[in-house]
Structures are given as structure tokens and as C-alpha cells.
Amino acid sequence: MSRSTRFRPLRIVARHRPSSARVLRGGRTTDLGRLPRYVMLFGLAAATIWTPISAYVRLTPSSYTSDVSLILPGSGAQSSVNLAELGQASSSAASAFSSSRVSPTETYKRLLAANRTLERAAADLDTPMQYFGEPRIQLVDETSLIHFSMVGASPEEAQIRATTLLDVFMDEIEILRLDELNSREESAQNALSGYEAAVDDLRDQIATLQTESGLVSFAHYEDLVKERDTLVLKVEDTIARRRGIDAQMVSLSEKLGVSPQMAATNLRLHADPEFQELARTLSENRATLALARGRFGPRHPQVTNAVQKLTGAEAQMRSRGAILLGNDAMTASSALDVSPDPARGALLAELVELAGLCESLATTEATLIAQRDAADLRMKTLAPLASRLDDLSRDYQVAETVFSSALARVDTTKSDVYASYPLVQVLADASLPINPTSPQPMIAIAAGITATLMILMGLTLAWLRRPMIDKLLARPAV
């Protein structure tokens, strides 16, 4: 089908339309018969637009808005307590905005609009909740600012509502903080009771073990072990010294030909002046006898007289010795050294001194060995008890550290009241509005003018649509 065939019926219809209202102007055809219809449509549309606008401007009561600005400081808090020889307790509160899962501004926004907050604020003003209104809350992105506003019939009413809502909001935050602190303290007290019971139980066990063993601590046991080691060293040193002195004593005794007992006896006898005088007399008589025997025969009166004097001197010396030493000791002293030689006497004194020192060291050795054996037995008995006491002391120290740290942590946590509900500061108090926020006649009139112009533009386009269609239909077919 050709283009001329398609548009032919339209041309026939257009040619048979009434043309009584057409007027030629500059070669253009205008249909004035449509004008009343467009005017009527424009009037209806304008009435539809301007009637509610007029009612809004004239009938809407005036309302005022009071604005409040809050800010949440973003810094955290940290505290630390060092307990000497016990441990450390630290408490820190991160920034309120450090967590991506919980936003304090959103939490406070919800609290501002919560029923509990609005009900308290309305009750404080003796106003039904449905007439109190709801706050309009705005959170500023990338900041910690919270803006909210309250509407009232007058500037003072709006300001009072905003102020009351702010006070109730602050009270609710404080109530939540106190409730959190009470919950934390109750939980902490329960934990502290368990820690304290563990500390008391360990203290009782340590006291019982100390009473049974006599040990104060594991360090006390270590001191006892050191004392036992010292005893071992003393025993070994004493044995070595005794053996050395005993060897000197035996050697000197062999050289002098007397035992230490005989040397002591000789020294005791020679220490007596009367015995010394008798010993000199005995020596002189022996010399006289020897001289007489050398000059005379055995029955010569001088020899006989010398023998008698010598026998008498010996009897007197033995009698004096018996008085000094006793009969038995004197009888046993068959090898008396009656010579008062000073050099030999010094050697005899040294021999006696060595014998006494050796005897003293032997006594000391026996005493030290007994003490060492007793210490060994005590160490074997106390070893398991000391190990148990050390374990209990370590457990007690750990338990006491945990208890002290928990106690300090409870105290430091009480000072951190902004852990879950951060600090809120009033950046701008409730404002006193000057101009009403509703109604807004200028905005309503501007909107009405804009709508009227849009309707006028639409009717103009509808008016021009017919001539354009006629012009297209009058175009000859190709």
C-alpha cells in the first residue's frame, strides 16, 4: 500500500469538517471554536491548584520549631593500676565510633524517639502524648552531631518542649549508665566472691602445712638444704684436719719414744716444784753413784752410801708422783722422763697439745656427723612437704594476684561510666524561634505559580497540536 492510499481517508474526513470558525491570517488557519474549551480547562485546573493553596495559607495555624544540637566526643579513656609484687589492672574504653557494628548516634537517635522518653517528657508538661509530638532527628554524616527539633504552637511552647525532651533524654542516658554499672558491679562481685574463697582456701592449706612441717616457705627449706651442705663441708674439713694432726702426733710420739699420755704425765710432774727438786736430787745421786763406782768397788762404803741415797731419792720422787698422779697412774708410768731438759719439755708440750687438738677435732667430727645425719633425715622428711608448700604458695600468689587485679579492675571500671553510653554534650541549647515554620505562604504561592505555568504550557501545546496535524495531512503524497 502506497503512502497516498494510506492517508486518503484522513484527507476526506478533514475536508468534510465544518469550517465556519476558520480565519486566514498570513496564510495560517486558526480554529477559534476551541478557545472556550481551553479557557474552561485552564480555569478548572487553576481552581484546583489555587483553592487548596489559599486554604493552606488562610486556615493552617501557625507553628514554630525549636532546634537543639548535640555532639558526642570521640576520644576514648584509659586507666592503669600497678600493684607492687602482685600484678597490674588496666581499664580502657575505646572511642565510641571505633566499632562499625554499633553507632552511638543511631542509639541516641532511637532513644530520643523512644516511647519511654516521649511519655516522660509529655508527663512533665502535663500534655497528652498524642499532642506532645515527635522530634524530628537529623544525623550529620561523617560527624558525631545530632540535631533534633520540636514543634509548638508558639515560640515559647516549642522551646519548652525541646528543653524538656533534652532533659528527659539526658536523664534516660544516666539511668542506662547506672543500670549498666550496677549490672557490671553485681557480676564483678560474684566473681570476686569466688576469687576470695579460693584465696582463703589456699591460705588455710598453707597455714596447716606450715604447722605440720615447721617450714615457713620453700625458701626456708632451701636454707635448711644449704645448712646441711655446710655441715657436709665442715665434716669433711674436720676429718681432714684431724687426720693431719693425728699424723703429726704419731710422728712426734715415735720420735720422742713416749705416748701422748706419758708426755702429759711427765709435763704434769715437771710442773710441780717439789717434784722438780726431787728430780734434780735424783740426778745428782745418780751422778755421785756413777763416780763412786768408777773409783771404788761395789762394797765400798761410798758406793753403798750413794746407792742408798739414790734409792731414797727414787722412793721420795715416786711418793710425790703418787700424790700428784695417784698410785695407779704412777704405777702405769714406767717410762718417766725425769730429765728437766727444756727442749724435750717443749716437744712433750707440743705432743700433748697435738693430742688434745686431735681429741677435740674427733669430738667435733662426731658432733658434725650426728648433725649431718639428722639434717639428711630431716631433708628426706621435708622434701615432699616443701614441694607441696611451694605449689600452694605459687597457687596462692596467682590467686591473690587475680583477686587483687579483679578488685582493682572493678574500681577502675566504676570510673568509666561512658563505656557503652558515650558522653553527650549540648552544642546548642533549644532555640527560641522568631518566624513560624508553618504555614509558608511564599513557598505555597511559588508552587502554585509553577503548577499554573505548567498547565498553561500543556494547554498551549494541546492548542498547537491540531494545526500541525492538519499541515502534515495536507502534504501531497510522494
Side-chain angles (χ1 to χ4, degrees), residues 76-140:
Q78 185 173 4
S79 60
S80 178
V81 177
N82 291 320
L83 304 174
E85 299 181 358
L86 291 178
Q88 177 180 3
S90 60
S91 175
S92 61
S95 173
F97 302 93
S98 60
S99 176
S100 59
R101 296 178 296 176
V102 179
S103 173
T105 53
E106 287 290 342
T107 302
Y108 287 167
K109 177 182 178 181
R110 181 67 184 89
L111 182 60
L112 269 171
N115 289 334
R116 56 188 289 183
T117 306
L118 298 179
E119 288 177 357
R120 281 194 56 190
D124 290 345
L125 296 178
D126 293 330
T127 303
M129 183 177 174
Q130 58 269 24
Y131 298 115
F132 181 78
E134 294 184 358
R136 183 179 179 183
I137 305 172
Q138 179 185 5
L139 303 180
V140 182

Side-chain angles (χ1 to χ4, degrees), residues 348-364:
L348 291 175
E350 181 180 359
L351 179 61
V352 172
E353 181 180 359
L354 291 176
L357 184 58
C358 184
E359 184 178 357
S360 175
L361 289 176
T363 303
T364 304

Side-chain angles (χ1 to χ4, degrees), residues 280-423:
R280 281 194 296 271
T281 302
L282 180 64
S283 297
E284 292 175 356
N285 290 333
R286 284 180 179 178
T288 302
L289 178 62
L291 181 62
R293 284 179 177 178
R295 293 175 61 183
F296 304 104
R299 295 186 178 182
H300 190 274
Q302 292 186 1
V303 173
T304 305
N305 188 25
V307 170
Q308 291 177 355
K309 290 182 177 178
L310 178 62
T311 304
E314 288 180 350
Q316 291 179 358
M317 187 178 66
R318 289 187 178 276
S319 176
R320 182 60 183 173
I323 294 173
L324 294 176
L325 301 178
N327 292 326
D328 295 337
M330 191 62 192
T331 304
S333 301
S334 58
L336 288 176
D337 188 0
V338 296
S339 176
D341 186 6
R344 184 175 178 83
L347 293 176
L348 291 175
E350 181 180 359
L351 179 61
V352 172
E353 181 180 359
L354 291 176
L357 184 58
C358 184
E359 184 178 357
S360 175
L361 289 176
T363 303
T364 304
E365 178 185 343
T367 303
L368 292 176
I369 290 176
Q371 293 178 355
R372 182 198 62 187
D373 295 340
D376 289 339
L377 181 60
R378 188 179 183 188
M379 291 302 99
K380 292 180 181 179
T381 305
L382 294 180
L385 299 178
S387 177
R388 176 60 179 165
L389 181 61
D390 183 54
D391 293 340
L392 290 176
S393 300
R394 184 169 54 252
D395 294 341
Y396 175 77
Q397 186 175 6
V398 172
E400 189 177 14
T401 301
V402 172
F403 175 71
S404 301
S405 300
L407 187 61
R409 187 166 55 251
V410 170
D411 293 336
T412 55
T413 304
K414 290 180 180 179
S415 62
D416 182 19
V417 297
Y418 305 113
S420 300
Y421 301 96
L423 177 65

Side-chain angles (χ1 to χ4, degrees), residues 42-58 441-453 455:
F42 178 75
L44 291 174
T48 304
I49 293 172
W50 288 100
T51 299
I53 291 177
S54 300
Y56 167 74
V57 173
R58 294 181 180 181
M442 298 303 296
I443 296 177
I445 292 173
I449 293 174
T450 302
T452 302
L453 291 177
I455 291 174

Side-chain angles (χ1 to χ4, degrees), residues 44 104 118 156 160 182 209 453:
L44 291 174
L118 298 179
E156 293 76 8
I160 291 175
N182 292 333
L209 188 58
L453 291 177

Side-chain angles (χ1 to χ4, degrees), residues 170-280:
M170 291 298 186
D171 291 341
E172 289 294 331
I173 293 178
E174 191 65 25
I175 291 174
L176 291 175
R177 287 172 182 162
L178 292 177
D179 182 68
E180 180 194 10
L181 289 178
N182 292 333
S183 299
R184 287 184 177 181
E185 185 174 1
E186 182 179 357
S187 177
Q189 291 298 333
N190 293 333
L192 287 176
S193 299
Y195 296 150
E196 187 176 8
V199 171
D200 293 340
D201 180 64
L202 289 172
R203 185 187 294 114
D204 293 339
Q205 294 185 37
I206 291 175
T208 302
L209 188 58
Q210 288 175 342
T211 303
E212 294 177 353
S213 63
L215 294 175
V216 178
S217 63
F218 188 78
H220 184 197
Y221 176 79
E222 292 178 341
D223 293 339
L224 294 178
V225 173
K226 292 179 181 178
E227 291 178 2
R228 183 262 179 192
D229 295 338
T230 303
L231 284 174
V232 172
L233 294 177
K234 287 183 178 180
V235 167
E236 294 176 354
D237 181 67
T238 303
I239 291 176
R241 288 180 60 193
R242 181 187 60 76
R243 289 177 179 177
I245 293 174
D246 185 69
Q248 294 179 9
M249 182 188 67
V250 171
S251 175
L252 184 59
S253 176
E254 291 177 353
K255 289 179 181 180
L256 294 176
V258 293
S259 65
Q261 293 78 10
M262 289 300 300
T265 300
N266 288 329
L267 289 175
R268 185 174 181 182
L269 292 175
H270 287 295
D272 182 64
E274 184 178 353
F275 186 83
Q276 290 180 358
E277 185 64 25
L278 291 175
R280 281 194 296 271

